[in-house]
Coordinates of all heavy atoms in Angstrom, one line a residue:
T142 N -210.4 -17.4 187.6 CA -209.8 -18.4 188.4 C -208.6 -18.9 187.7 O -208.6 -19.2 186.5 CB -210.8 -19.6 188.6 OG1 -212.0 -19.1 189.1 CG2 -210.3 -20.7 189.5
A143 N -207.5 -19.0 188.5 CA -206.2 -19.5 187.9 C -206.3 -21.0 187.7 O -206.9 -21.7 188.5 CB -205.1 -19.1 188.8
R144 N -205.6 -21.5 186.7 CA -205.6 -22.9 186.5 C -204.2 -23.4 186.9 O -203.2 -22.8 186.5 CB -205.8 -23.2 185.0 CG -205.8 -24.6 184.7 CD -206.3 -24.9 183.2 NE -206.3 -26.3 183.0 CZ -205.5 -26.9 182.2 NH1 -204.7 -26.3 181.4 NH2 -205.6 -28.2 182.0
V145 N -204.2 -24.5 187.6 CA -202.9 -25.0 188.1 C -202.8 -26.4 187.5 O -203.7 -27.2 187.6 CB -202.8 -25.1 189.6 CG1 -201.6 -25.8 190.1 CG2 -202.9 -23.7 190.2
E146 N -201.7 -26.7 186.9 CA -201.4 -28.1 186.4 C -200.2 -28.7 187.1 O -199.2 -28.0 187.2 CB -201.1 -28.0 184.9 CG -200.9 -29.4 184.3 CD -200.7 -29.3 182.8 OE1 -201.5 -28.7 182.2 OE2 -199.8 -30.0 182.3
I147 N -200.4 -29.8 187.7 CA -199.3 -30.5 188.4 C -198.9 -31.7 187.6 O -199.8 -32.6 187.3 CB -199.8 -31.0 189.8 CG1 -200.2 -29.8 190.7 CG2 -198.7 -31.8 190.5 CD1 -200.9 -30.1 192.0
L148 N -197.7 -31.8 187.2 CA -197.2 -32.9 186.5 C -196.2 -33.7 187.3 O -195.2 -33.1 187.8 CB -196.5 -32.4 185.2 CG -195.7 -33.5 184.4 CD1 -196.7 -34.5 183.8 CD2 -194.9 -32.8 183.3
I149 N -196.5 -34.9 187.5 CA -195.6 -35.8 188.3 C -194.9 -36.6 187.2 O -195.5 -37.6 186.7 CB -196.4 -36.7 189.3 CG1 -197.1 -35.8 190.3 CG2 -195.4 -37.6 190.0 CD1 -198.0 -36.5 191.2
D150 N -193.7 -36.3 186.9 CA -192.9 -36.9 185.9 C -192.5 -38.3 186.3 O -192.5 -39.3 185.5 CB -191.8 -36.1 185.5 CG -191.0 -36.6 184.3 OD1 -191.7 -36.9 183.3 OD2 -189.8 -36.7 184.3
E151 N -192.1 -38.5 187.6 CA -191.6 -39.7 188.0 C -192.0 -39.9 189.5 O -191.8 -39.0 190.3 CB -190.1 -39.8 187.9 CG -189.5 -41.1 188.4 CD -188.0 -41.1 188.2 OE1 -187.3 -40.1 188.3 OE2 -187.5 -42.2 187.9
L152 N -192.6 -41.1 189.8 CA -192.9 -41.4 191.2 C -192.2 -42.7 191.4 O -192.5 -43.7 190.8 CB -194.4 -41.6 191.3 CG -195.0 -42.0 192.6 CD1 -194.6 -41.0 193.7 CD2 -196.5 -42.2 192.6
V153 N -191.3 -42.7 192.4 CA -190.5 -43.9 192.7 C -191.2 -44.6 193.9 O -191.3 -44.0 194.9 CB -189.1 -43.5 193.0 CG1 -188.3 -44.8 193.4 CG2 -188.4 -42.8 191.8
L154 N -191.5 -45.9 193.7 CA -192.2 -46.7 194.7 C -191.3 -47.9 195.0 O -191.1 -48.7 194.1 CB -193.6 -47.1 194.2 CG -194.6 -46.0 193.9 CD1 -195.8 -46.6 193.2 CD2 -194.9 -45.2 195.1
H155 N -190.9 -48.0 196.2 CA -190.1 -49.2 196.5 C -190.9 -50.1 197.5 O -191.6 -49.6 198.4 CB -188.8 -48.8 197.3 CG -187.8 -48.1 196.4 ND1 -187.1 -48.7 195.4 CD2 -187.5 -46.7 196.4 CE1 -186.3 -47.7 194.8 NE2 -186.6 -46.6 195.4
G156 N -190.9 -51.4 197.3 CA -191.6 -52.3 198.2 C -193.0 -52.5 198.0 O -193.7 -53.0 198.8
F157 N -193.5 -52.1 196.8 CA -194.9 -52.3 196.4 C -195.0 -53.3 195.3 O -194.1 -53.4 194.4 CB -195.6 -51.0 196.1 CG -195.6 -50.0 197.2 CD1 -194.7 -49.1 197.3 CD2 -196.6 -50.1 198.2 CE1 -194.6 -48.2 198.4 CE2 -196.6 -49.2 199.2 CZ -195.6 -48.3 199.3
A158 N -196.1 -54.0 195.2 CA -196.4 -54.9 194.1 C -196.5 -54.0 192.8 O -197.2 -53.0 192.8 CB -197.7 -55.7 194.3
P159 N -195.9 -54.5 191.7 CA -196.0 -53.7 190.4 C -197.5 -53.4 190.1 O -197.8 -52.3 189.5 CB -195.4 -54.6 189.4 CG -194.4 -55.4 190.2 CD -195.1 -55.7 191.5
G160 N -198.4 -54.3 190.4 CA -199.8 -54.1 190.0 C -200.5 -53.0 190.8 O -201.6 -52.6 190.4
D161 N -199.9 -52.6 191.9 CA -200.5 -51.5 192.7 C -200.1 -50.1 192.3 O -200.7 -49.1 192.7 CB -200.0 -51.7 194.2 CG -200.6 -52.9 194.9 OD1 -201.6 -53.4 194.4 OD2 -200.1 -53.3 195.9
R162 N -199.2 -50.0 191.3 CA -198.7 -48.7 190.9 C -199.8 -47.8 190.4 O -199.8 -46.6 190.7 CB -197.6 -48.8 190.0 CG -197.9 -49.2 188.6 CD -196.6 -49.3 187.7 NE -197.0 -49.5 186.3 CZ -197.0 -50.8 185.8 NH1 -196.8 -51.8 186.5 NH2 -197.3 -50.9 184.5
H163 N -200.7 -48.3 189.6 CA -201.8 -47.4 189.1 C -202.7 -46.9 190.2 O -203.1 -45.8 190.2 CB -202.5 -48.1 188.0 CG -201.7 -48.4 186.8 ND1 -201.1 -47.4 186.0 CD2 -201.2 -49.6 186.3 CE1 -200.4 -48.0 185.0 NE2 -200.4 -49.3 185.2
A164 N -203.1 -47.8 191.1 CA -204.0 -47.5 192.2 C -203.3 -46.4 193.1 O -204.0 -45.5 193.5 CB -204.4 -48.7 193.0
I165 N -202.1 -46.6 193.4 CA -201.3 -45.6 194.2 C -201.3 -44.3 193.5 O -201.6 -43.2 194.1 CB -199.9 -46.1 194.5 CG1 -200.0 -47.4 195.5 CG2 -199.1 -45.0 195.2 CD1 -198.7 -48.1 195.7
G166 N -200.9 -44.3 192.2 CA -200.8 -43.1 191.4 C -202.2 -42.3 191.3 O -202.2 -41.1 191.4
E167 N -203.2 -43.1 191.1 CA -204.6 -42.5 191.0 C -205.0 -41.9 192.3 O -205.5 -40.7 192.4 CB -205.6 -43.5 190.6 CG -207.0 -43.0 190.4 CD -207.1 -42.0 189.3 OE1 -206.3 -42.0 188.3 OE2 -208.0 -41.1 189.4
A168 N -204.8 -42.6 193.4 CA -205.1 -42.0 194.7 C -204.3 -40.8 195.0 O -204.8 -39.8 195.6 CB -204.9 -43.1 195.8
L169 N -203.0 -40.8 194.7 CA -202.2 -39.6 194.9 C -202.7 -38.4 194.1 O -202.8 -37.3 194.6 CB -200.7 -40.0 194.5 CG -199.7 -38.9 194.7 CD1 -198.4 -39.6 195.1 CD2 -199.5 -38.0 193.6
S170 N -203.0 -38.6 192.9 CA -203.5 -37.6 192.0 C -204.8 -37.0 192.5 O -205.0 -35.8 192.6 CB -203.7 -38.1 190.6 OG -204.2 -37.1 189.7
Q171 N -205.8 -37.9 192.9 CA -207.1 -37.4 193.4 C -206.9 -36.6 194.7 O -207.5 -35.6 194.9 CB -208.0 -38.6 193.7 CG -208.5 -39.2 192.4 CD -209.4 -40.4 192.6 OE1 -209.6 -40.9 193.7 NE2 -209.9 -41.0 191.5
E172 N -206.0 -37.1 195.6 CA -205.9 -36.4 196.9 C -205.2 -35.1 196.7 O -205.5 -34.1 197.3 CB -205.1 -37.3 197.9 CG -204.9 -36.7 199.3 CD -206.2 -36.5 200.1 OE1 -207.2 -37.0 199.7 OE2 -206.1 -35.9 201.1
L173 N -204.2 -35.0 195.8 CA -203.5 -33.7 195.6 C -204.5 -32.7 195.0 O -204.5 -31.6 195.4 CB -202.3 -33.9 194.6 CG -200.9 -34.0 195.1 CD1 -199.9 -34.2 194.0 CD2 -200.6 -32.9 196.0
E174 N -205.3 -33.2 194.1 CA -206.3 -32.3 193.5 C -207.3 -31.8 194.6 O -207.6 -30.6 194.6 CB -207.1 -33.1 192.4 CG -208.2 -32.2 191.8 CD -209.0 -33.0 190.7 OE1 -208.4 -33.8 190.0 OE2 -210.2 -32.8 190.7
N175 N -207.7 -32.7 195.5 CA -208.6 -32.2 196.6 C -207.9 -31.2 197.5 O -208.5 -30.2 197.9 CB -209.0 -33.5 197.4 CG -210.0 -33.1 198.4 OD1 -211.0 -32.4 198.2 ND2 -209.7 -33.6 199.7
L176 N -206.6 -31.5 197.8 CA -205.9 -30.6 198.7 C -205.7 -29.2 198.1 O -205.9 -28.2 198.7 CB -204.5 -31.2 199.1 CG -204.6 -32.4 200.0 CD1 -203.2 -33.1 200.0 CD2 -205.0 -32.0 201.4
V177 N -205.4 -29.2 196.8 CA -205.2 -27.9 196.1 C -206.6 -27.2 196.0 O -206.7 -26.0 196.2 CB -204.6 -28.1 194.7 CG1 -204.6 -26.8 193.9 CG2 -203.1 -28.6 194.9
R178 N -207.6 -27.9 195.7 CA -209.0 -27.3 195.6 C -209.4 -26.7 196.9 O -210.0 -25.6 197.0 CB -210.0 -28.4 195.1 CG -211.3 -27.8 194.9 CD -212.4 -28.7 194.4 NE -212.0 -29.8 193.5 CZ -211.9 -31.1 193.9 NH1 -212.2 -31.5 195.1 NH2 -211.5 -32.0 193.1
T179 N -209.2 -27.4 198.1 CA -209.7 -26.9 199.3 C -208.7 -26.0 200.0 O -209.1 -25.1 200.8 CB -210.0 -28.1 200.3 OG1 -208.8 -28.9 200.5 CG2 -211.1 -29.0 199.7
G180 N -207.4 -26.2 199.8 CA -206.4 -25.4 200.6 C -205.6 -24.4 199.7 O -204.8 -23.7 200.3
G181 N -205.9 -24.4 198.4 CA -205.1 -23.5 197.6 C -203.8 -24.1 197.2 O -203.3 -25.2 197.8
F182 N -203.1 -23.4 196.3 CA -201.8 -23.9 195.9 C -200.7 -23.0 196.6 O -200.9 -21.7 196.5 CB -201.6 -23.9 194.4 CG -200.4 -24.7 194.0 CD1 -200.6 -26.1 193.9 CD2 -199.2 -24.1 193.6 CE1 -199.5 -26.9 193.4 CE2 -198.2 -24.9 193.2 CZ -198.3 -26.2 193.1
P183 N -199.7 -23.5 197.2 CA -198.7 -22.6 197.9 C -198.1 -21.7 196.9 O -197.9 -22.1 195.7 CB -197.7 -23.6 198.4 CG -198.4 -24.9 198.5 CD -199.5 -24.9 197.4
S184 N -197.8 -20.5 197.3 CA -197.2 -19.5 196.4 C -195.7 -19.9 196.1 O -195.0 -20.1 197.1 CB -197.3 -18.1 196.9 OG -196.6 -18.0 198.1
L185 N -195.4 -20.0 194.9 CA -194.0 -20.3 194.5 C -193.5 -19.1 193.8 O -194.2 -18.2 193.5 CB -193.9 -21.6 193.7 CG -194.5 -22.8 194.3 CD1 -194.6 -24.0 193.3 CD2 -193.6 -23.2 195.5
A186 N -192.2 -19.1 193.4 CA -191.7 -18.0 192.7 C -192.4 -17.7 191.3 O -192.5 -16.6 190.9 CB -190.2 -18.3 192.4
G187 N -192.9 -18.7 190.7 CA -193.6 -18.5 189.4 C -193.8 -19.9 188.7 O -193.3 -20.9 189.2
P188 N -194.5 -19.9 187.6 CA -194.7 -21.1 186.9 C -193.4 -21.8 186.5 O -192.4 -21.1 186.1 CB -195.4 -20.7 185.6 CG -196.0 -19.3 186.0 CD -195.1 -18.7 187.0
G189 N -193.3 -23.1 186.7 CA -192.2 -23.8 186.4 C -191.0 -23.7 187.3 O -189.9 -24.2 187.0
Q190 N -191.1 -23.0 188.4 CA -190.0 -22.7 189.3 C -189.6 -23.9 190.1 O -188.6 -23.9 190.8 CB -190.3 -21.5 190.1 CG -190.4 -20.2 189.4 CD -189.1 -19.9 188.6 OE1 -188.1 -19.9 189.2 NE2 -189.2 -19.6 187.3
L191 N -190.5 -24.9 190.3 CA -190.2 -26.0 191.1 C -189.9 -27.2 190.2 O -190.8 -28.0 189.8 CB -191.4 -26.3 192.0 CG -191.2 -27.4 193.1 CD1 -190.1 -27.0 194.0 CD2 -192.5 -27.6 193.8
A192 N -188.6 -27.3 189.8 CA -188.3 -28.3 188.8 C -188.2 -29.7 189.4 O -188.6 -30.7 188.8 CB -186.9 -28.0 188.2
S193 N -187.9 -29.8 190.7 CA -187.8 -31.1 191.3 C -188.2 -31.0 192.8 O -187.8 -30.0 193.4 CB -186.4 -31.6 191.2 OG -186.2 -32.9 191.8
Q194 N -188.9 -31.9 193.3 CA -189.3 -31.9 194.7 C -189.0 -33.3 195.3 O -189.5 -34.3 194.9 CB -190.8 -31.6 194.8 CG -191.4 -31.6 196.2 CD -190.9 -30.5 197.0 OE1 -190.5 -29.4 196.5 NE2 -190.9 -30.7 198.3
R195 N -188.2 -33.3 196.3 CA -187.9 -34.5 197.0 C -188.7 -34.4 198.4 O -188.5 -33.4 199.1 CB -186.4 -34.7 197.3 CG -186.2 -36.0 198.1 CD -184.7 -36.4 198.0 NE -184.5 -37.5 199.0 CZ -184.7 -38.7 198.7 NH1 -185.2 -39.1 197.6 NH2 -184.5 -39.7 199.6
T196 N -189.5 -35.3 198.7 CA -190.3 -35.2 199.9 C -189.8 -36.2 200.9 O -189.0 -37.1 200.6 CB -191.8 -35.6 199.6 OG1 -191.8 -36.9 199.0 CG2 -192.4 -34.6 198.7
P197 N -190.1 -36.0 202.2 CA -189.7 -37.0 203.2 C -190.2 -38.4 202.9 O -191.2 -38.5 202.2 CB -190.3 -36.4 204.5 CG -190.7 -35.0 204.2 CD -191.0 -34.9 202.7
D198 N -189.5 -39.4 203.4 CA -190.0 -40.7 203.3 C -191.3 -40.9 204.0 O -191.6 -40.3 205.0 CB -188.9 -41.7 203.9 CG -187.6 -41.7 203.1 OD1 -187.6 -41.4 201.9 OD2 -186.6 -42.2 203.7
L199 N -192.1 -41.8 203.5 CA -193.4 -42.2 204.1 C -193.2 -43.3 205.1 O -192.5 -44.3 204.8 CB -194.4 -42.6 203.1 CG -194.9 -41.6 202.1 CD1 -195.8 -42.2 201.1 CD2 -195.6 -40.5 202.8
N200 N -193.8 -43.3 206.2 CA -193.8 -44.4 207.2 C -195.2 -45.0 207.1 O -196.1 -44.4 207.6 CB -193.4 -43.9 208.6 CG -192.0 -43.4 208.7 OD1 -191.1 -44.1 208.2 ND2 -191.8 -42.2 209.2
L201 N -195.3 -46.1 206.5 CA -196.6 -46.8 206.3 C -196.7 -48.0 207.2 O -195.7 -48.7 207.5 CB -196.7 -47.2 204.8 CG -196.5 -46.1 203.8 CD1 -196.4 -46.6 202.4 CD2 -197.8 -45.1 203.9
A202 N -198.0 -48.3 207.5 CA -198.2 -49.5 208.2 C -198.1 -50.7 207.3 O -198.3 -50.6 206.1 CB -199.7 -49.5 208.8
P203 N -197.6 -51.8 207.8 CA -197.4 -53.0 206.9 C -198.8 -53.4 206.3 O -199.8 -53.3 207.0 CB -197.0 -54.1 207.9 CG -196.3 -53.4 209.0 CD -197.1 -52.1 209.2
G204 N -198.8 -53.7 205.1 CA -200.0 -54.1 204.4 C -200.9 -52.9 204.0 O -202.1 -53.1 203.7
A205 N -200.4 -51.7 204.1 CA -201.3 -50.5 203.7 C -201.8 -50.7 202.3 O -201.1 -51.1 201.4 CB -200.5 -49.2 203.8
R206 N -203.1 -50.3 202.2 CA -203.8 -50.4 200.9 C -203.2 -49.4 199.9 O -202.9 -48.3 200.3 CB -205.3 -50.3 201.1 CG -205.8 -51.4 202.0 CD -207.3 -51.2 202.2 NE -208.0 -51.2 200.9 CZ -208.9 -52.1 200.5 NH1 -209.3 -53.0 201.4 NH2 -209.4 -52.1 199.3
P207 N -203.2 -49.7 198.6 CA -202.7 -48.7 197.6 C -203.4 -47.3 197.7 O -202.7 -46.3 197.6 CB -203.0 -49.4 196.3 CG -203.0 -50.9 196.6 CD -203.6 -51.0 198.0
A208 N -204.7 -47.3 197.9 CA -205.4 -46.0 198.0 C -204.9 -45.2 199.2 O -204.7 -44.0 199.1 CB -206.9 -46.2 198.0
S209 N -204.6 -45.8 200.3 CA -204.1 -45.2 201.5 C -202.7 -44.7 201.3 O -202.4 -43.6 201.7 CB -204.2 -46.1 202.7 OG -203.6 -45.6 203.8
V210 N -201.9 -45.5 200.6 CA -200.5 -45.1 200.3 C -200.5 -43.8 199.4 O -199.8 -42.9 199.7 CB -199.8 -46.2 199.6 CG1 -198.4 -45.8 199.1 CG2 -199.6 -47.4 200.6
G211 N -201.3 -43.8 198.4 CA -201.4 -42.7 197.5 C -201.8 -41.4 198.1 O -201.3 -40.3 198.0
A212 N -202.9 -41.6 199.0 CA -203.4 -40.4 199.7 C -202.4 -39.8 200.7 O -202.2 -38.6 200.8 CB -204.7 -40.8 200.4
Q213 N -201.7 -40.7 201.4 CA -200.7 -40.3 202.4 C -199.6 -39.6 201.6 O -199.1 -38.6 202.1 CB -200.2 -41.4 203.2 CG -199.3 -41.0 204.3 CD -198.9 -42.1 205.3 OE1 -199.5 -43.1 205.3 NE2 -197.9 -41.8 206.1
A214 N -199.2 -40.2 200.5 CA -198.1 -39.6 199.7 C -198.5 -38.1 199.3 O -197.7 -37.2 199.3 CB -197.7 -40.4 198.5
A215 N -199.7 -38.0 198.8 CA -200.2 -36.7 198.4 C -200.1 -35.7 199.5 O -199.7 -34.5 199.3 CB -201.6 -36.8 197.9
R216 N -200.5 -36.1 200.7 CA -200.5 -35.1 201.9 C -199.1 -34.7 202.2 O -198.8 -33.6 202.6 CB -201.2 -35.8 203.1 CG -202.7 -35.8 202.8 CD -203.5 -36.2 204.1 NE -203.3 -37.6 204.4 CZ -204.0 -38.7 204.0 NH1 -204.9 -38.5 203.1 NH2 -203.7 -39.9 204.4
V217 N -198.1 -35.7 202.1 CA -196.7 -35.4 202.4 C -196.2 -34.4 201.3 O -195.5 -33.4 201.6 CB -195.9 -36.7 202.5 CG1 -194.4 -36.3 202.5 CG2 -196.2 -37.5 203.7
I218 N -196.5 -34.7 200.1 CA -196.0 -33.8 199.0 C -196.6 -32.4 199.2 O -195.9 -31.4 199.1 CB -196.4 -34.4 197.6 CG1 -195.6 -35.6 197.3 CG2 -196.3 -33.3 196.5 CD1 -196.1 -36.5 196.2
Y219 N -197.9 -32.3 199.4 CA -198.6 -31.0 199.6 C -198.0 -30.3 200.8 O -197.7 -29.1 200.7 CB -200.1 -31.2 199.8 CG -200.8 -29.9 199.8 CD1 -201.1 -29.2 198.6 CD2 -201.3 -29.4 201.0 CE1 -201.8 -28.0 198.7 CE2 -202.0 -28.2 201.1 CZ -202.3 -27.5 199.9 OH -202.9 -26.3 199.9
G220 N -197.8 -31.0 201.9 CA -197.1 -30.3 203.0 C -195.8 -29.8 202.7 O -195.4 -28.7 203.2
S221 N -195.0 -30.6 202.0 CA -193.7 -30.1 201.6 C -193.7 -28.9 200.7 O -192.9 -28.0 200.9 CB -193.0 -31.3 200.9 OG -191.7 -31.0 200.5
L222 N -194.7 -28.8 199.8 CA -194.8 -27.7 199.0 C -195.2 -26.4 199.8 O -194.8 -25.3 199.5 CB -195.9 -27.9 197.9 CG -195.5 -28.9 196.8 CD1 -196.7 -29.2 195.9 CD2 -194.3 -28.3 196.0
E223 N -196.1 -26.6 200.8 CA -196.5 -25.5 201.6 C -195.3 -25.0 202.3 O -195.1 -23.7 202.4 CB -197.5 -26.0 202.7 CG -198.9 -26.2 202.2 CD -199.9 -26.5 203.3 OE1 -199.6 -27.4 204.1 OE2 -200.9 -25.8 203.3
G224 N -194.4 -25.8 202.9 CA -193.2 -25.3 203.5 C -192.3 -24.6 202.6 O -191.8 -23.5 202.9
R225 N -192.2 -25.0 201.4 CA -191.4 -24.3 200.4 C -192.0 -23.0 200.0 O -191.3 -22.0 199.8 CB -191.2 -25.2 199.1 CG -190.2 -24.7 198.1 CD -190.0 -25.6 197.0 NE -189.2 -26.8 197.5 CZ -188.0 -27.0 197.2 NH1 -187.4 -26.3 196.3 NH2 -187.3 -28.0 197.6
G226 N -193.3 -23.0 199.8 CA -194.0 -21.8 199.4 C -193.9 -20.7 200.5 O -194.0 -19.5 200.2
Q227 N -193.7 -21.1 201.8 CA -193.6 -20.1 202.9 C -192.2 -19.8 203.2 O -191.9 -19.2 204.2 CB -194.3 -20.7 204.1 CG -195.8 -20.9 203.9 CD -196.4 -21.7 205.0 OE1 -195.7 -22.1 206.0 NE2 -197.7 -22.0 204.9
G228 N -191.3 -20.3 202.3 CA -189.9 -20.0 202.5 C -189.2 -21.0 203.4 O -188.0 -20.9 203.8
G229 N -189.9 -22.1 203.8 CA -189.3 -23.1 204.7 C -188.4 -24.0 203.9 O -187.5 -24.6 204.5
G230 N -188.6 -24.3 202.7 CA -187.7 -25.2 201.9 C -187.6 -26.6 202.4 O -186.5 -27.2 202.2
K231 N -188.6 -27.2 203.0 CA -188.5 -28.6 203.4 C -188.3 -29.5 202.2 O -188.9 -29.3 201.2 CB -189.8 -29.0 204.1 CG -190.0 -28.4 205.5 CD -191.1 -29.0 206.2 CE -192.4 -28.2 206.1 NZ -193.5 -28.8 206.7
S232 N -187.5 -30.5 202.4 CA -187.3 -31.5 201.3 C -187.0 -32.8 201.9 O -186.7 -33.0 203.0 CB -186.2 -31.1 200.4 OG -185.0 -30.9 201.0

């Protein structure tokens, strides 16, 4: 079994309470792990080939809970990687 490590060096959050950052980050990490575990990791050119990934903006409901924000962000990131892995190059 191949081992995949995802490192999120910087996550920019605008419009959230500073105290929510850890809950958002944790939910994002857990959801990404789940998506990779169940759906696999999109094929990229090779290890370290994706130096930077800009994903589409999230459209969130007002008052969205941090866990929901993190999970939705993970799904957008994963979807963006899938497009790139298939040659779509979404960003």
